[in-house]
Amino acid sequence: MRDEEQDGGPLEHDSNARPEVTDQSADPDADPAPTAGSEATQTAGAEEAESAGDDPLAALTDAVSGLTEQIREHHARAAARERVIDNLHAEVERLRAGEQNLLLRPVVTDLQNLRKDLLHQARTLPAEVARDQVAELLESFALSVELALERCGSAPIVPTEGDEFSAREHRAVKLVPAERAEQDGRVAAVVADGYRDTASERVTAPARVHVYRWTPAETSSTEQEQERADA
């Protein structure tokens, strides 16, 4: 009491005094209070770690899937190209067959007419026929064939005896001794006619003929000496 009075009376209670707050940060072992920001950061980090661990497998899977799809599309395009090629080939074959039929139609018509004439002559041929009549009949049929060949662009080469031999149009299959010097190098007989292309005038088949060859039986001594000197 005495002490209180000496100090100026009893101690008054300070209503404005702040309550004592314990500082938890001073304790290093105390756990900090969790916050909303720190939780979001931890969640994002966990997701990133999980996704980082799955990236290689996912990338490989995506790459394989992409390659598989590309291969499938490649096979589909290849099959489509094959179908187009097959269709074009079939169309070309049809066009080729049509062109061949168009080109051969005149020849087919001529052959049909020739067959009809041959059958008609065979049915109406008399029992006794002279050689000249048979030859005339065969020549008429040969003329029909010649007309058909001309429609195809092939004209016959018809040499006659006495014509001058032409190495371009004729082929000598036999040499015949000539009786006179002026017969040398001329056609002695015709074995078969030849043919030439009417568009290019090129000989496709030369006529086969016999050719005269003149060989003097005797020569004078002067001519023999001259030949030796020239040799």
Side-chain angles (χ1 to χ4, degrees):
M1 291 294 292
R2 189 173 295 177
D3 292 335
E4 291 177 358
E5 289 177 357
Q6 289 178 359
D7 292 337
L11 293 174
E12 296 180 357
H13 180 71
D14 189 2
S15 61
N16 294 328
R18 295 180 180 178
E20 184 179 358
V21 179
T22 304
D23 188 3
Q24 295 181 355
S25 61
D27 188 0
D29 296 332
D31 294 333
T35 62
S38 61
E39 291 180 355
T41 304
Q42 293 176 359
T43 303
E47 291 178 354
E48 290 179 358
E50 183 179 358
S51 61
D54 294 342
D55 275 347
L57 181 59
L60 181 60
T61 303
D62 293 341
V64 172
S65 300
L67 290 175
T68 304
E69 185 64 23
Q70 291 179 4
I71 293 173
R72 186 181 297 110
E73 293 177 356
H74 174 74
H75 286 304
R77 289 194 298 268
R81 285 195 296 267
E82 290 294 334
R83 289 193 296 269
V84 171
I85 292 173
D86 292 340
N87 293 335
L88 290 177
H89 180 71
E91 184 66 21
V92 169
E93 291 297 328
R94 287 194 295 269
L95 292 176
R96 184 178 299 173
E99 291 179 355
Q100 289 178 353
N101 293 333
L102 183 62
L103 292 174
L104 294 177
R105 186 174 300 170
V107 181
V108 172
T109 302
D110 292 336
L111 292 176
Q112 291 172 350
N113 294 332
L114 178 60
R115 180 179 180 274
K116 180 180 65 177
D117 293 341
L118 287 171
L119 293 175
H120 176 73
Q121 292 296 334
R123 287 192 296 263
T124 60
L125 191 67
E128 296 180 359
V129 182
R131 181 182 182 280
D132 295 341
Q133 293 176 341
V134 174
E136 183 179 356
L137 182 62
L138 294 176
E139 287 179 357
S140 67
F141 293 143
L143 180 60
S144 298
V145 176
E146 181 179 337
L147 294 176
L149 291 173
E150 287 181 353
R151 289 188 181 184
C152 296
S154 179
I157 300 174
V158 186
T160 57
E161 295 182 8
D163 291 346
E164 186 176 358
F165 176 79
S166 173
R168 181 174 179 270
E169 297 182 348
H170 305 152
R171 177 179 296 173
V173 297
K174 184 179 180 180
L175 296 178
V176 179
E179 298 177 356
R180 301 181 303 274
E182 56 270 17
Q183 290 180 331
D184 185 56
R186 294 192 173 273
V187 176
V190 179
V191 178
D193 294 341
Y195 298 94
R196 68 160 54 88
D197 185 83
T198 56
S200 61
E201 293 298 326
R202 184 175 62 88
V203 176
T204 57
R208 302 176 64 188
V209 297
H210 295 172
V211 182
Y212 283 120
R213 176 58 56 88
W214 168 251
T215 302
E218 296 180 358
T219 57
S220 62
S221 58
T222 305
E223 291 176 351
Q224 292 178 356
E225 292 176 358
Q226 184 65 33
E227 290 177 358
R228 295 193 189 96
D230 294 339

